[in-house]
Amino acid sequence: MKYTTSLHRIIAIASALTLTCVQFFLLYNTYELKNNHYLFAEKRIITDEYLGAIKNDKVMPGGANILDNYVMGNLPRLEALYKTDKQAFNKLGQQVCDSAFRDLRKANNIDSLMEAIMQRNHLDRKLRYASTIEFIEIAFQRDHYVPLYHQDGHNEWIDPQIQTKAGIRIAGTLDNLEPNTLARHVTVSSSTDNTYSISFSLYVDTYDRKQTILRLMMPTFLLSLLSVGGVVILNFVTFRNWIRQKKLSEMKSDFINSITHEFHTPLSAIIVANRTMQNDKILSNKDSLLSLTEVVLRQAERLKTLISQTLGITTMNKLSLHVERSSVHHLLDELLLDYRLNATESESEVTLTLNKNATRDVVLLDPFWFTTIMLNIFDNAVKYNTRESKQIIVTTSSDKKVLHIKIADNGIGINKEIRKHIFDKFYRGGSGVHNRVKGLGLGLFYVNQAIDSHKWKLDLQSEEGTGSTFTISIPLLEQKTLL
């Protein structure tokens, strides 16, 4: 599979997301671990002293007397109703429990007990607590318990204001009654007839539990953030360096491609001219020989210029122009003469026609790049033409300010979709003839770059199957400048 920039980005993003997910789960598990072990030492101290204070008692010091008074005092009535009317039994049982809960809340001495424990052990004053009862059950026969109150039951005869999901609140101000805030759960029962069982709990926590845990985790969080950030930065630097290396590699390829593309035309013209000069008829004709030597000289000069500008051709970001006042008609005469000579080696017939309709043709241009523009357009007109007789018609015209050079051919034409990309670097069309024609897709790219550097205008008119017409618009020199 080809390793592309897009694939690199996808891999980098996927890796960053994976690392972020791993770090998130690590942080989450760390948070849960600290959450479950939060106040572990403080809870142990509090529960040890709390259990010592209610030894042989229930819920709080003196709580057993209150519960015994209500539950054991109503046991005969409850037993009778249990045997005869279960609904009345449930109502009386809840009313008995409600009365017991009210008295336990009135007689609450857990606040003072907790205050004394915290002072004696120098515990954090932010600590909050809550004492709850989860259920009360009675047994008329040994080990056969019947619920009077249960935290998950339907307790319509008990004050709803003291009911919570964790049970009946007896004392304390802690609101977060969750398993991780539970300090101690106690169940008191006996294996005898006519007794009762009770389950109660003590919850301990601080009011800013989450904020405290997050502060404790801050070093871990910062270390995780730095590790993710370091990997992202390292990946970015690596990607940037890879892009630079890739661009250097592309520049090297462009350099070779540019030389191959640009050196081909003058070399071909020199070879053809040399071969023609070896003809005996040409050797005996001084004028023809002189004309061919001028072709060789022009193409050799062009080759020399190409060698000195190979770096500029490679980058093609901004051309280095050497503009001078030139006659476009004179340049076109020389150019068409050289191109006709080169076209004699072609297998098919190529006809070049020059119509000099412009009344003014002197402009500022770089002769080298002007020749490059025209040759690349001519090459495309010949290569992308399936007719036996290929025609290229160059027509000049002028108005008061602009010289127009129109290059028309009878080639295969260019459809709308291809015209959008025709000047892109290395673009060679979609299929068919475009794939069969040899080339690098640089010709029209150079044309566009050279015209932009001159600040000229280029217009392309073409329809598939009817040929193409390129129109170059060049500002004319003012009359005063010419004088």
Side-chain angles (χ1 to χ4, degrees):
M1 181 175 64
K2 187 178 179 181
Y3 190 77
T4 63
T5 303
S6 299
L7 179 60
H8 185 99
R9 287 196 180 99
I10 292 171
I11 293 174
I13 293 172
S15 301
L17 290 175
T18 302
L19 179 61
T20 303
C21 291
V22 171
Q23 291 292 332
F24 172 79
F25 283 115
L26 288 175
L27 288 173
Y28 176 77
N29 290 333
T30 302
Y31 176 84
E32 288 298 313
L33 183 63
K34 288 186 176 293
N35 190 29
N36 292 331
H37 290 83
Y38 183 64
L39 298 177
F40 181 80
E42 290 86 346
K43 287 179 181 179
R44 184 172 182 179
I45 294 172
I46 291 172
T47 54
D48 288 346
E49 296 208 16
Y50 171 72
L51 292 176
I54 63 168
K55 189 176 182 180
N56 299 323
D57 218 323
K58 297 168 184 175
V59 185
M60 64 184 187
N65 291 331
I66 296 174
L67 290 167
D68 288 347
N69 179 51
Y70 280 99
V71 177
M72 299 306 295
N74 288 282
L75 195 62
R77 292 177 58 198
L78 289 169
E79 184 177 12
L81 289 174
Y82 182 75
K83 295 178 179 178
T84 59
D85 189 347
K86 294 292 180 63
Q87 186 174 0
F89 166 79
N90 290 332
K91 179 179 180 180
L92 178 60
Q94 290 186 28
Q95 289 175 338
V96 168
C97 289
D98 182 65
S99 299
F101 297 153
R102 290 177 182 275
D103 280 4
L104 285 171
R105 289 170 60 87
K106 289 179 182 179
N108 170 34
N109 54 19
I110 302 179
D111 291 342
S112 58
L113 174 62
M114 296 299 296
E115 183 70 21
I117 292 173
M118 286 191 288
Q119 287 183 357
R120 187 162 52 250
N121 294 278
H122 307 287
L123 299 178
D124 192 346
R125 308 299 296 179
K126 295 180 180 179
L127 287 174
R128 300 289 184 269
Y129 81 95
S131 176
T132 63
I133 296 176
E134 282 76 36
F135 67 80
I136 297 178
E137 298 176 339
I138 58 175
F140 306 115
Q141 296 179 357
R142 180 177 178 177
D143 297 331
H144 288 80
Y145 285 98
V146 179
L148 291 184
Y149 160 77
H150 197 282
Q151 67 187 85
D152 296 327
H154 182 62
N155 305 298
E156 60 180 317
W157 305 103
I158 298 177
D159 185 1
Q161 293 184 356
I162 63 175
Q163 295 186 51
T164 68
K165 292 182 178 179
I168 300 297
R169 181 187 291 272
I170 301 301
T173 59
L174 179 65
D175 295 326
N176 184 28
L177 305 183
E178 301 292 340
N180 54 21
T181 64
L182 178 65
R184 182 54 65 99
H185 176 77
V186 181
T187 299
V188 180
S189 63
S190 59
S191 184
T192 61
D193 293 338
N194 298 318
T195 185
Y196 71 95
S197 171
I198 183 172
S199 175
F200 57 94
S201 298
L202 179 68
Y203 294 85
V204 177
D205 200 5
T206 56
Y207 67 87
D208 59 349
R209 179 188 184 91
K210 290 184 178 180
Q211 294 87 334
T212 303
I213 294 175
L214 290 175
R215 281 198 300 270
L216 292 172
M217 285 185 61
M218 191 57 64
T220 305
F221 177 76
L222 291 177
L223 184 61
S224 176
L225 188 63
L226 287 173
S227 65
V228 173
V231 170
V232 171
I233 292 173
L234 182 62
N235 201 3
F236 171 76
V237 172
T238 303
F239 178 72
R240 186 183 61 181
N241 292 337
W242 178 72
I243 289 295
R244 287 178 178 174
Q245 293 296 325
K246 188 172 182 291
K247 285 183 178 179
L248 289 175
S249 178
E250 289 177 352
M251 286 178 65
K252 180 180 177 181
S253 299
D254 289 353
F255 180 78
I256 296 171
N257 293 339
S258 299
I259 292 175
T260 303
H261 183 272
E262 291 298 325
F263 283 19
H264 177 76
T265 300
L267 283 174
S268 297
I270 292 172
I271 292 170
V272 173
N274 180 67
R275 189 180 301 161
T276 305
M277 283 189 293
Q278 293 176 0
N279 190 298
D280 293 336
K281 293 182 180 180
I282 298 297
L283 289 172
S284 61
N285 188 331
K286 185 178 179 180
D287 292 337
S288 298
L289 186 61
L290 182 61
S291 176
L292 288 172
T293 58
E294 289 177 354
V295 171
V296 172
L297 179 61
R298 283 196 299 271
Q299 295 304 323
E301 287 293 331
R302 176 171 174 78
L303 193 58
K304 181 180 177 181
T305 306
L306 277 170
I307 293 172
S308 65
Q309 296 192 12
T310 50
L311 181 60
I313 296 173
T314 302
T315 56
M316 292 305 293
N317 291 326
K318 185 175 181 180
L319 302 182
S320 178
L321 300 179
H322 301 283
V323 296
E324 59 186 53
R325 192 169 64 178
S326 303
S327 167
V328 172
H329 286 167
H330 177 70
L331 289 174
L332 288 174
D333 283 333
E334 291 183 345
L335 197 152
L336 264 65
L337 173 63
D338 296 351
Y339 200 84
R340 287 191 187 100
L341 181 64
N342 208 4
T344 58
E345 296 293 304
S346 175
E347 295 179 358
S348 56
E349 180 184 350
V350 179
T351 303
L352 282 90
T353 305
L354 175 59
N355 299 317
K356 301 177 185 177
N357 297 334
T359 56
R360 296 168 54 195
D361 70 317
V362 179
V363 298
L364 288 175
L365 54 75
D366 184 323
F368 170 80
W369 285 110
F370 177 77
T371 304
T372 299
I373 292 170
M374 301 304 295
L375 287 177
N376 279 299
I377 294 177
F378 290 169
D379 285 345
N380 274 3
V382 173
K383 287 190 295 185
Y384 298 103
N385 193 328
T386 57
R387 301 175 188 269
E388 291 185 4
S389 178
K390 303 175 182 180
Q391 296 180 358
I392 301 175
I393 301 174
V394 181
T395 304
T396 64
S397 61
S398 62
D399 51 33
K400 292 182 179 181
K401 295 183 178 181
V402 180
L403 170 68
H404 303 283
I405 305 173
K406 184 180 295 184
I407 306 104
D409 63 62
N410 63 341
I412 63 173
I414 309 169
N415 63 39
K416 185 176 181 181
E417 185 62 30
I418 294 178
R419 286 204 304 272
K420 295 178 182 178
H421 309 283
I422 198 70
F423 298 108
D424 293 349
K425 196 173 186 179
F426 301 122
Y427 183 77
R428 299 192 60 247
S431 59
V433 177
H434 296 87
N435 287 340
R436 293 194 298 271
V437 173
K438 294 182 179 180
L440 302 170
L442 292 170
L444 291 182
F445 171 73
Y446 292 156
V447 169
N448 193 51
Q449 292 294 312
I451 286 179
D452 285 346
S453 297
H454 279 92
K455 296 184 179 179
W456 298 343
K457 292 182 180 179
L458 176 64
D459 179 65
L460 170 60
Q461 299 293 328
S462 181
E463 293 293 337
E464 195 169 9
T466 62
S468 304
T469 301
F470 291 84
T471 303
I472 303 170
S473 300
I474 306 173
L476 286 164
L477 289 177
E478 296 181 2
Q479 293 288 348
K480 291 181 180 180
T481 304
L482 294 175
L483 297 174

